[in-house]
Short mmCIF file of all heavy atoms in Angstrom, two decimals:
data_model
loop_
_atom_site.label_atom_id
_atom_site.label_comp_id
_atom_site.label_asym_id
_atom_site.label_seq_id
_atom_site.Cartn_x
_atom_site.Cartn_y
_atom_site.Cartn_z
N LYS A 113 3.26 9.77 -10.15
CA LYS A 113 4.60 10.17 -10.69
C LYS A 113 4.77 11.63 -10.64
O LYS A 113 3.82 12.41 -10.76
CB LYS A 113 4.70 9.68 -12.13
CG LYS A 113 4.68 8.18 -12.22
CD LYS A 113 4.67 7.81 -13.78
CE LYS A 113 4.61 6.22 -13.88
NZ LYS A 113 4.59 5.87 -15.32
N SER A 114 5.98 12.06 -10.42
CA SER A 114 6.45 13.48 -10.38
C SER A 114 5.74 14.33 -9.35
O SER A 114 5.46 15.57 -9.49
CB SER A 114 6.14 14.17 -11.84
OG SER A 114 6.79 13.52 -12.82
N TYR A 115 5.34 13.74 -8.17
CA TYR A 115 4.73 14.44 -7.07
C TYR A 115 5.80 14.63 -6.11
O TYR A 115 6.62 13.92 -5.72
CB TYR A 115 3.58 13.55 -6.42
CG TYR A 115 2.91 14.24 -5.42
CD1 TYR A 115 1.92 15.18 -5.67
CD2 TYR A 115 3.13 14.08 -4.10
CE1 TYR A 115 1.17 15.87 -4.61
CE2 TYR A 115 2.54 14.67 -2.98
CZ TYR A 115 1.56 15.60 -3.37
OH TYR A 115 0.86 16.18 -2.31
N ARG A 116 5.82 15.93 -5.57
CA ARG A 116 6.73 16.35 -4.48
C ARG A 116 6.11 16.14 -3.11
O ARG A 116 4.92 16.47 -2.99
CB ARG A 116 7.23 17.80 -4.63
CG ARG A 116 7.97 17.97 -5.88
CD ARG A 116 8.55 19.36 -6.09
NE ARG A 116 9.35 19.87 -4.97
CZ ARG A 116 10.68 19.62 -4.83
NH1 ARG A 116 11.29 18.79 -5.66
NH2 ARG A 116 11.36 20.04 -3.85
N GLY A 117 6.73 15.45 -2.20
CA GLY A 117 6.10 15.16 -0.92
C GLY A 117 5.85 13.60 -0.97
O GLY A 117 6.58 12.84 -1.78
N ASP A 118 4.96 13.06 -0.19
CA ASP A 118 4.72 11.68 -0.18
C ASP A 118 3.84 11.32 -1.32
O ASP A 118 2.68 11.62 -1.34
CB ASP A 118 3.95 11.30 1.11
CG ASP A 118 3.78 9.77 1.33
OD1 ASP A 118 3.99 9.03 0.33
OD2 ASP A 118 3.38 9.42 2.41
N PRO A 119 4.46 10.62 -2.41
CA PRO A 119 3.80 10.38 -3.61
C PRO A 119 2.80 9.04 -3.54
O PRO A 119 2.20 8.77 -4.52
CB PRO A 119 4.81 10.17 -4.63
CG PRO A 119 5.92 9.63 -3.84
CD PRO A 119 5.85 10.23 -2.49
N TRP A 120 2.97 8.42 -2.45
CA TRP A 120 2.33 7.05 -2.30
C TRP A 120 0.95 7.21 -1.51
O TRP A 120 0.88 7.92 -0.64
CB TRP A 120 3.15 6.03 -1.52
CG TRP A 120 4.33 5.60 -2.29
CD1 TRP A 120 5.63 6.07 -2.25
CD2 TRP A 120 4.39 4.49 -3.20
NE1 TRP A 120 6.50 5.42 -3.06
CE2 TRP A 120 5.68 4.41 -3.75
CE3 TRP A 120 3.37 3.68 -3.74
CZ2 TRP A 120 6.07 3.51 -4.66
CZ3 TRP A 120 3.78 2.75 -4.75
CH2 TRP A 120 5.06 2.64 -5.18
N ARG A 121 -0.13 6.56 -2.06
CA ARG A 121 -1.28 6.37 -1.41
C ARG A 121 -1.69 4.93 -1.36
O ARG A 121 -1.45 4.17 -2.28
CB ARG A 121 -2.46 7.25 -2.12
CG ARG A 121 -2.29 8.69 -2.15
CD ARG A 121 -2.15 9.31 -0.70
NE ARG A 121 -2.07 10.74 -0.74
CZ ARG A 121 -0.91 11.39 -0.65
NH1 ARG A 121 0.24 10.67 -0.53
NH2 ARG A 121 -0.82 12.69 -0.67
N VAL A 122 -2.32 4.56 -0.26
CA VAL A 122 -2.72 3.13 -0.13
C VAL A 122 -4.26 3.05 -0.03
O VAL A 122 -4.91 3.95 0.48
CB VAL A 122 -2.00 2.41 1.10
CG1 VAL A 122 -0.58 2.31 0.85
CG2 VAL A 122 -2.36 3.12 2.39
N PHE A 123 -4.71 1.95 -0.49
CA PHE A 123 -6.15 1.61 -0.56
C PHE A 123 -6.29 0.10 -0.33
O PHE A 123 -5.39 -0.62 -0.35
CB PHE A 123 -6.73 1.79 -2.03
CG PHE A 123 -6.66 3.20 -2.56
CD1 PHE A 123 -5.51 3.66 -3.13
CD2 PHE A 123 -7.78 4.09 -2.47
CE1 PHE A 123 -5.44 4.98 -3.61
CE2 PHE A 123 -7.70 5.37 -2.84
CZ PHE A 123 -6.60 5.90 -3.50
N THR A 124 -7.47 -0.22 -0.02
CA THR A 124 -7.86 -1.65 0.01
C THR A 124 -9.09 -1.88 -0.85
O THR A 124 -9.70 -0.95 -1.37
CB THR A 124 -8.06 -2.10 1.49
OG1 THR A 124 -8.19 -3.59 1.49
CG2 THR A 124 -9.36 -1.50 2.11
N ILE A 125 -9.43 -3.07 -1.01
CA ILE A 125 -10.51 -3.49 -1.87
C ILE A 125 -11.81 -3.58 -1.09
O ILE A 125 -11.80 -4.27 -0.02
CB ILE A 125 -10.23 -4.80 -2.70
CG1 ILE A 125 -8.92 -4.78 -3.29
CG2 ILE A 125 -11.36 -5.28 -3.58
CD1 ILE A 125 -8.36 -6.17 -3.80
N PRO A 126 -12.85 -2.99 -1.51
CA PRO A 126 -14.09 -3.11 -0.76
C PRO A 126 -14.69 -4.48 -0.70
O PRO A 126 -14.65 -5.22 -1.63
CB PRO A 126 -15.12 -2.21 -1.53
CG PRO A 126 -14.51 -1.93 -2.80
CD PRO A 126 -13.11 -2.23 -2.76
N THR A 127 -15.03 -4.90 0.57
CA THR A 127 -15.60 -6.22 0.81
C THR A 127 -16.44 -6.19 2.07
O THR A 127 -16.21 -5.36 2.88
CB THR A 127 -14.48 -7.26 0.86
OG1 THR A 127 -15.08 -8.63 1.05
CG2 THR A 127 -13.53 -6.98 2.04
N ASP A 128 -17.28 -7.16 2.15
CA ASP A 128 -18.03 -7.28 3.45
C ASP A 128 -17.50 -8.31 4.30
O ASP A 128 -18.03 -8.77 5.39
CB ASP A 128 -19.51 -7.54 3.22
CG ASP A 128 -19.78 -8.82 2.27
OD1 ASP A 128 -18.88 -9.42 1.98
OD2 ASP A 128 -21.05 -9.02 2.06
#
Side-chain angles (χ1 to χ4, degrees):
K113 297 176 183 179
S114 302
Y115 182 82
R116 295 182 60 79
D118 187 348
W120 289 97
R121 297 296 182 267
V122 293
F123 297 84
T124 190
I125 305 169
T127 181
D128 57 3

